[in-house]
Amino acid sequence: MYTEDDLLPLSGLQHLIFCARQWALIHIEGAWAENRLTVEGRHLHERVHETEDETRDGVRIARGLRLHSFRLGLIGQADVVEFHPIEHPCGAGFQPAVPEEDAERAGKMSAPQGSIPFPVEYKRGRPKPTRCDEVQVCAQAMCLEEMLHVNVPRGAIYYGQPRRRHEVIFDDSLRAETEALASRMHALFNAGETPSARYEPKCDHCSLIDLCLPKVAAQGRKVGRYLEGLWNADDVAGRGASS
């Protein structure tokens, strides 16, 4: 179990999956830069959080809910948490939430009796080839489980370009991946070291590319290998002359 001082941003899990160096630049060195993608994503989250809480068709909807997990060592904020009645298709067959006084520990809204939390994460783009988005919403679910003492079996990601939800089942495999990433994130943070830069095509979409300079680092390695080759060649030539 981590203490309150140990908690790291839940959003860092997605950064870590994308690139360990990006994660370290943001969460160890405190670096940040915006590009069109990050600005659009930030505006989307702000619009979601600014909308008032509501009840719609029997489903309580809380926005901007503060989350934490001392077991995973994470702290963050959910875009949306819906509280579905157990007879709702997303809640049927699962154990209900605990009484409202326990749910108030979430810091914003109490869960109605007999309801199942259903976290929804908003993303500006399309589904990604990795499970970074699924890990992020799974971590939110695991925070809710710890805070409300309730099973959270599924959630969703709303993608802005297709304009539809992608349902996520929090199975054992996804939970294990989420726990492993949280543990790795704490190990990297405690080590306090930023991994060296290495250029990949995905770097072109990173807002930190001008701070990271992966192409410069790659050129530096090429120069180093070239100089090492010259040194080795001179060494071989020197031994040949002396013989």
Side-chain angles (χ1 to χ4, degrees):
M1 295 290 287
Y2 294 93
T3 68
E4 189 169 351
D5 292 336
D6 298 327
L7 301 183
L8 296 177
L10 187 153
S11 59
L13 295 173
Q14 191 175 52
H15 299 147
L16 183 56
I17 293 176
F18 179 78
C19 171
R21 178 171 171 82
Q22 184 203 62
W23 175 87
L25 288 172
I26 296 171
H27 299 282
I28 294 179
E29 299 189 18
W32 181 248
E34 296 268 35
N35 63 11
R36 178 182 60 85
L37 301 179
T38 62
V39 170
E40 290 178 357
R42 175 166 54 81
H43 287 170
L44 173 63
H45 288 292
E46 288 173 353
R47 287 197 301 271
V48 173
H49 294 174
E50 288 170 358
T51 306
E52 293 292 328
D53 297 346
E54 60 181 310
T55 299
R56 186 188 304 168
D57 297 328
V59 175
R60 293 279 294 276
I61 302 172
R63 295 179 171 87
L65 201 63
R66 298 288 180 179
L67 304 174
H68 65 261
S69 169
F70 292 111
R71 187 173 70 84
L72 298 178
L74 300 175
I75 189 168
Q77 186 175 24
D79 285 336
V80 169
V81 178
E82 300 173 350
F83 293 93
H84 294 170
I86 56 174
E87 63 271 14
H88 188 280
C90 289
F94 298 98
Q95 69 182 72
V98 296
E100 295 188 6
E101 58 269 20
D102 290 331
E104 287 178 355
R105 297 173 188 170
K108 181 167 181 171
M109 180 179 181
S110 12
Q113 286 278 7
S115 66
I116 300 295
F118 186 90
V120 182
E121 177 68 14
Y122 279 67
K123 298 295 181 184
R124 55 161 296 283
R126 301 178 183 275
K128 301 177 179 62
T130 67
R131 294 212 293 181
C132 59
D133 295 339
E134 286 83 353
V135 163
Q136 186 174 0
V137 74
C138 181
Q140 294 175 12
M142 295 172 77
C143 288
L144 288 165
E145 289 178 333
E146 182 177 320
M147 296 167 66
L148 303 179
H149 308 284
V150 58
N151 179 38
V152 182
R154 64 186 75 181
I157 303 165
Y158 177 86
Y159 288 102
Q161 292 188 17
R163 293 185 177 275
R164 61 174 177 265
R165 287 187 177 190
H166 167 72
E167 186 174 82
V168 181
I169 304 297
F170 306 131
D171 57 22
D172 292 342
S173 172
L174 183 56
R175 288 171 181 269
E177 183 176 353
T178 302
E179 289 189 30
L181 282 165
S183 178
R184 183 188 174 202
M185 189 164 66
H186 276 276
L188 290 171
F189 185 82
N190 291 335
E193 297 179 359
T194 300
S196 58
R198 183 180 63 184
Y199 177 75
E200 299 180 32
K202 66 181 180 181
C203 296
D204 295 331
H205 303 288
C206 178
S207 67
L208 301 185
I209 187 169
D210 291 335
L211 299 174
C212 177
L213 300 174
K215 291 184 178 180
V216 173
Q219 289 298 324
R221 284 194 293 273
K222 289 180 181 179
V223 171
R225 286 195 295 269
Y226 174 73
L227 294 175
E228 183 180 359
L230 290 179
W231 176 270
N232 291 336
D234 289 344
D235 188 46
V236 170
R239 287 199 302 270
S242 62
S243 62

